[in-house]
Each structure stands twice: as C-alpha cells, then as structure tokens.
Amino acid sequence: MNFDEGLKLAWQTAISNKLRTFLTTLGIVIGVMSVIGMMSIINALERHMINALSAVGGDIFWVQKYPAVQMGHLPREIRMRKDLKFKHAEAIRKRATYIEAVSGESATYGKQIKYRDEATNPNILVYGGDEHWAEVNGRYISEGRFFTSEEIHRKEYVIILGNDIVEKLFPFSYPIDEYIKINGIRFKVIGLIEPQGKLLGGSRDNLVTIPYTTFTKAFGQKRSIAIAVKARRGQMAEAMDQITGILRVARKVPPGQPNDFEVITQDSIMDTLKQFTGFIFIAAVVICGISLLVGGIGIMNIMLVAVTERTREIGIRKAVGAKKRHILNQFLTESIGICLFGGLIGVILGVVIGVLIAAALKLPPTIPLWSVFLGVGFSLMIGLIFGVYPAMKAARLNPIEALRYE
Amino acid sequence: MQTLINLKDIVKTYQIGTVEVQALRGVDILIHSNEYISIMGPSGSGKSTLMNIIGCLDTPTSGIYELEGELVHTMDDNKLAEVRNRKVGFVFQTFNLLPRATALHNVELPLIYSGISAAKRKVIAEDAIEKVGLTDRMHHRPSELSGGQRQRVAIARALVNNPSLILADEPTGNLDSTTGKEIMAIFDDLHNAGNTIILITHEKIVADHADRIVHILDGHIAEDIQVKNN
Ligand SMILES: Nc1ncnc2c1ncn2[C@@H]1O[C@H](COP(=O)(O)OP(=O)(O)O)[C@@H](O)[C@H]1O
Ligand SMILES: [Mg+2]
C-alpha cells in the first residue's frame, strides 16, 4: 500500500466523522494559526521599522531624558532626572568636533492649524527646532526654505509645513508666504517638508516646524527636549563618546555616576524593537507549543479510539496478508493526514489573520514563508510523534484476537 | 497427488490466567492438492483452532507444520503474513468484510498487500467477482448486500490471489438453507476448477459436499474418512 492510497483512506475516515476530525485538529489549527499570525505581525513591524530608520540616515543619533522604550515601571533615579534644555544642545554645538550638525527639538502634539476658514484636525505635531533640524532629522525642504539662525535669534513667527497640512489647507493654492494660525498666533509659511508617507499606520507628514525660540515663547518650555545629532561620516562612536562627556559636564554628573540621559541610536532602537518582537516570538512559540501539544494528545487519543474501533478491520487486513508495517503505515498516514489537514487549515486562517491585522495596522501584509513551512512541518511532526504509539498498537494486534473483537 | 499440508503432532494450548486449555492435543493430518475436505465436530472441539493454524493465522504450541514443503511453525510474523497473502484464502462465518469499502475494494484487499498496481488489481478483482456472480453489485457496500451476497464477496476475496488452499469456517452458518446451498454450489465449482478446499461445518448436508470428512473430538482427530474418490 503506498502513501496516496493511505491518504485516501485517511481522508475517507476523516470525512466519515467530520465533527470528530474537526475537534481533534482544533489544537493543531490554533497552534499553526497563531504562529503564522504572530510571525507575520513581527515581520511587518520589523520591516517597517527598518524602512523608517533607513529614511533617517545612518549617522544620526538622539539624546533624550528617558529610555526609548521601557518595559515596566521607570526606576526612581530615572524619573528624577533633570530635563534636557536647549542650552545643552547649544553646549554640544559649541564643543563637539566629531559632529556635522546638532539640533535640539521640543515638540507638542495635538495642535490645530487654521488657514482662513479651513482648519486641520487637532492632531498636528509641532516641533521647535534650530536651523539644523531638517538635516539631522533626515528631512528635506521641497519648496521654499528652512529658517535661519537669525530668524531663530529674533524669535520670528515663521513655519515649515508638513505635507498633510498642505493638502488639507492649501489644496489649490501655493502656501509659501501665506499666514496660518496656531492657538490664535500667526505664522508665516516659508517652506514645505518633502512627504515621507506612513509608518505603522501613522502619517509622518502631519507635522510643522518652527524656531525653538519661538516655540518656547508660544508654547512654553515645560517638557524636556530631545537632541538629534548627525555625526561626521564614520565617526559615530567618537561623536557619541564626545557628546556623552560634554553633557555630563554640562549637567554636572559626578564622576563614577551613571549618565542622567539616554543616548539612542538606530541600533538601540532596533535592539529595543527586537527585544519586543523577541518577546512576542517567545509568546508565539509557547502558545504554538502548547496548542500543538494539546493537539498531539488529541490526535493520540483519537487514534487510540480509531485503533480500538477498527480492531476487526485490522484483523481482516492481517488475515488477507497485511504485514505489521502495512498496518503501521496505514495508521501513521492517517494521523499525519489529520494533522496535515489541521495544519493547512491553520495556515489558511493564520494567513487571513496576518492580512487582517496588517490591514488594521495599515501595513502591507507580509506572511513569512518560513512560518508557513514551520507550521506545516510541525503538524507533520506531531502527526508522526503522536501517531506512532497508536499505530504500533494496531500493528502488534494478534490477527485472531482482532478478528474475534466485537 | 501432491502433498499440500503435512501436520505432525500439532498441539495448541491456550493459557487463560493460570488455567491451560488444550484446544488441540496432537493432530496429524496429510492433505493433498485439490482435495475437498470437511472438518466436523461439536462446538469447542478445536475445529477453528485447527483452521487458524492451517491458515497461518495462528501458530501451534508444538508440532510440525509443513505447507508446500515450507516449515510454517518456524516462520516469523512477516513470513506468516506473506503466506496468508499468497497461499491462503479465508471465508468466515461472519463474512469479515470491511464495512466502509465496496465489494470491489474488499476483493482487491489481498492484492494491495501483494503489491499489485491499482489498474491490474481492478481487473483481477473484477474477474474474481464475476466468478461468484456479483458483477452487478461490485460497487455496493456490505451493508447494501444480503448475507449470501456478502459471503460471495468473501469467497471472491479468498480466491482473488489464486491461493493454494481455500479455508472456510462455517461459511453457511449465518445463512438460510437456500442461500447456503447456493454458496456450497460455488465451493463445488471452485473444487471442480482445481482448488483445494477445507471447510468446517457441523451440518451433515454441508459436509457431504466434500470428498473426505474429518471428525474432530476434544482436540483429536476421531475419524478421517474418504467418502468419494475423485
Ligand atoms: N483465544 C483463545 N483463548 C482461550 N481459549 C480458546 C481460544 N480460542 C479457542 N479457545 C478454546 O479452545 C477450544 C477450541 O475452540 P475452537 O477451536 O474455537 O472450537 P470450535 O471451532 O470447534 O468450536 C475451546 O475450548 C475454546 O474455548
Ligand atoms: Mg469454531
């Protein structure tokens, strides 16, 4: 008896008892489904993070008060840190030699921008930066110009608009030299930022930038700023060391004490993300493992029932010449077939879930092929491992006793 | 005449807990090719046990069994399965068909285990089904067939591999007398076509179809009579 006849037989058995087959495969279905679903989410997150970071450029890093991502509570010594101020960015600009540019930035979220009778949603991100803001943030000016150090010095009300604001407020007119209002304060539009598209479902173009001096005047300086730094080509490490030293002096950190600020690189962001996705990965593996184990035990149970139910059939087959290996193969094929069936359903559901979640996060769907192979491979293995014992039991039956079984 | 089966001092003991049941207590018998033998005896006398040993479904506790010159009592499970597949055709009182398979597939079953290709199998099996007159029912399942028809399927399955002997354990036991006669007519035909047939029965009319009648009593051969010559 060859494999596809065995599969045919397995299929007949499976459809002759649909509900039982369905319930038996549920564990496998859920296991495979969750691993593929989760893997596609992780995959999508990582790819988009990489895309987003590569848009910024490789020589850029940031200094901020708090860690980028912190799981659990912040320890007290981190919560007690002093704010980062524009004077710190100024100190870096004056003393650092390994850098090309530095820009402090302050930000406030949820502002509404008005132009004549039109208004944006109150979800605009307003940055206060200095003349190097665009450069260190990997942004380009597509129309007009960026503000100058004189404008910063004079605290002028000039503004650079992101593409979302342009589309909303100036669908048919040229925005440069027009005046818009934030919180009732008038700003003159002097430049437009080239659009970058979406990241993780959020737009990267619903922002505006004004001089940081103006920002402080208009919105106050209650929050800690972030400092973006562009290192000289190939001197990232030196720049990071140098800036750490400068900031420790400026913030009077005693020697031997840890830094009271965080230096964040793209690598460290990726590491944090990897830590996070690794966490999801482990969760996926655990869930998958448990469901597959449950599924495997279910398979074993159902196969033991099948062997008992079909004792007479086994006797008949042996009477007409089936050898041990024929019976073993028959039942193994059946358990593998059931698992494969469950695995395939799991793959289909997993892909559907991956696509749905990607759609919900507004990411293009990415189903890692290896997770599909992994899912199918695992279900094959479960069918094999948990099918062996029942199949051996069937193969070892004494033909006469099997024939007599009622 | 060619010797087909040679049993010497066959003993079969069943162990049930601490109790030993002696089903066969030293059976000697010589059977030639193309014989037609009935085995008679009261219930529990050891007829089925003897048939299972002859059919290689079971092995004797002691004694020597030679089938076509091969020593069966020394064979392992795989070898026994092979002998059952190629040399023996069984017909049981309770038919023993696969309930979910069609008549045709039931008849094909022995051929599957002899490794014959699907296309060839079908031709051979259809041929065997024709011999028992069930061609129009070959795509039916056992549950859609009468008792007599089921037994015909079983007979077709028994002869499909062209075995050296056909063993029937009370083949008419579950059938009414008319159907029983039809089944016995098939065995007669098979014998006339050159097959060796051993059939177990406790009905005199059934036994009388055979050329030789062996009486078993309490695990012994009590009587072994050649009733006809062929
Ligand atoms: N598997 C078995 N285990 C224990 N005792 C058995 C077994 N098979 C048969 N016997 C016993 O062996 C004796 C012969 O049985 P059997 O060959 O079936 O008789 P018959 O077919 O002539 O009715 C009986 O006493 C029966 O109880
Ligand atoms: Mg009996």
Side-chain angles (χ1 to χ4, degrees), chain A residues 312 317-318 320 323 400, chain B residues 82 84-85 94 96 113:
Chain A
R312 222 183 152 90
R317 288 178 183 276
K318 288 200 154 191
V320 302
K323 294 179 181 174
I400 299 172
Chain B
E82 218 165 274
R84 287 198 294 273
N85 185 243
T94 53
N96 277 336
Y113 296 117

Side-chain angles (χ1 to χ4, degrees), chain A residues 304-331:
Chain A
L304 285 172
V305 170
V307 170
T308 308
E309 275 180 352
R310 282 148 63 192
T311 300
R312 222 183 152 90
E313 174 189 325
I314 295 162
I316 294 170
R317 288 178 183 276
K318 288 200 154 191
V320 302
K323 294 179 181 174
K324 275 188 181 145
R325 66 179 160 86
H326 290 126
I327 304 294
L328 188 82
N329 286 350
Q330 178 188 336
F331 281 89

Side-chain angles (χ1 to χ4, degrees), chain A residues 11-266:
Chain A
W11 176 249
Q12 280 167 359
T13 314
I15 58 168
S16 74
N17 213 327
K18 291 186 193 73
L19 182 64
R20 194 164 88 178
T21 308
F22 171 72
L23 292 176
T24 306
T25 55
L26 212 54
I28 308 241
V29 170
I30 292 171
V32 172
M33 179 183 82
S34 53
V35 80
I36 293 178
M38 285 190 176
M39 290 310 146
S40 29
I41 296 168
I42 293 175
N43 195 281
L45 279 176
E46 282 185 352
R47 282 175 44 164
H48 282 267
M49 219 51 205
I50 289 166
N51 283 349
L53 289 176
S54 66
V56 174
D59 307 326
I60 290 167
F61 61 94
W62 298 268
V63 182
Q64 60 184 44
K65 185 176 165 188
Y66 295 130
V69 182
Q70 179 77 24
M71 298 197 193
H73 259 293
L74 282 176
R76 196 186 128 79
E77 55 276 20
I78 292 183
R79 276 186 284 125
M80 296 303 287
R81 284 173 178 180
K82 289 179 287 180
D83 285 346
L84 275 169
K85 299 246 162 67
F86 281 104
K87 66 178 184 192
H88 296 125
E90 212 48 55
I92 292 171
R93 192 188 333 280
K94 278 199 192 112
R95 299 197 192 113
T97 52
Y98 290 115
I99 66 168
E100 246 168 43
V102 57
S103 173
E105 74 180 28
S106 222
T108 176
Y109 180 74
K111 295 291 178 201
Q112 191 174 39
I113 299 183
K114 291 183 178 160
Y115 173 66
R116 294 187 183 158
D117 298 333
E118 291 292 324
T120 65
N121 287 330
N123 65 350
I124 305 300
L125 195 50
V126 178
Y127 282 108
D130 61 27
E131 69 272 28
H132 300 290
W133 182 90
E135 189 184 0
V136 294
N137 280 288
R139 294 297 202 150
Y140 299 96
I141 301 304
S142 58
E143 297 279 343
R145 60 175 181 82
F146 205 71
F147 42 77
T148 63
S149 50
E150 288 73 40
E151 282 166 328
I152 294 169
H153 189 69
R154 293 196 298 269
K155 302 176 185 171
E156 285 191 10
Y157 290 91
V158 290
I159 193 164
I160 318 289
L161 299 185
N163 193 51
D164 287 1
I165 294 95
V166 175
E167 279 184 0
K168 173 76 184 163
L169 300 182
F170 302 94
F172 307 116
S173 54
Y174 191 60
I176 305 290
D177 293 336
E178 296 294 321
Y179 286 86
I180 54 97
K181 277 185 181 172
I182 308 174
N183 285 6
I185 304 166
R186 263 162 49 102
F187 288 87
K188 183 183 180 186
V189 179
I190 60 166
L192 307 182
I193 303 170
E194 197 171 276
Q196 269 188 347
K198 290 179 187 299
L199 173 68
L200 299 180
S203 173
R204 283 183 283 175
D205 300 313
N206 66 334
L207 77 167
V208 299
T209 309
I210 59 176
Y212 74 89
T213 48
T214 321
F215 185 95
T216 312
K217 208 161 57 161
F219 306 111
Q221 194 198 357
K222 300 166 207 87
R223 294 164 214 81
S224 182
I225 66 162
I227 300 170
V229 182
K230 185 173 188 182
R232 288 191 192 281
R233 186 166 285 280
Q235 295 188 312
M236 181 87 166
E238 293 86 341
M240 280 167 65
D241 280 351
Q242 193 175 43
I243 281 162
T244 302
I246 292 167
L247 284 178
R248 285 178 70 93
V249 172
R251 290 162 70 81
K252 303 189 177 65
V253 182
Q257 289 286 323
N259 294 342
D260 66 346
F261 51 89
E262 301 287 331
V263 178
I264 293 162
T265 62
Q266 296 180 34

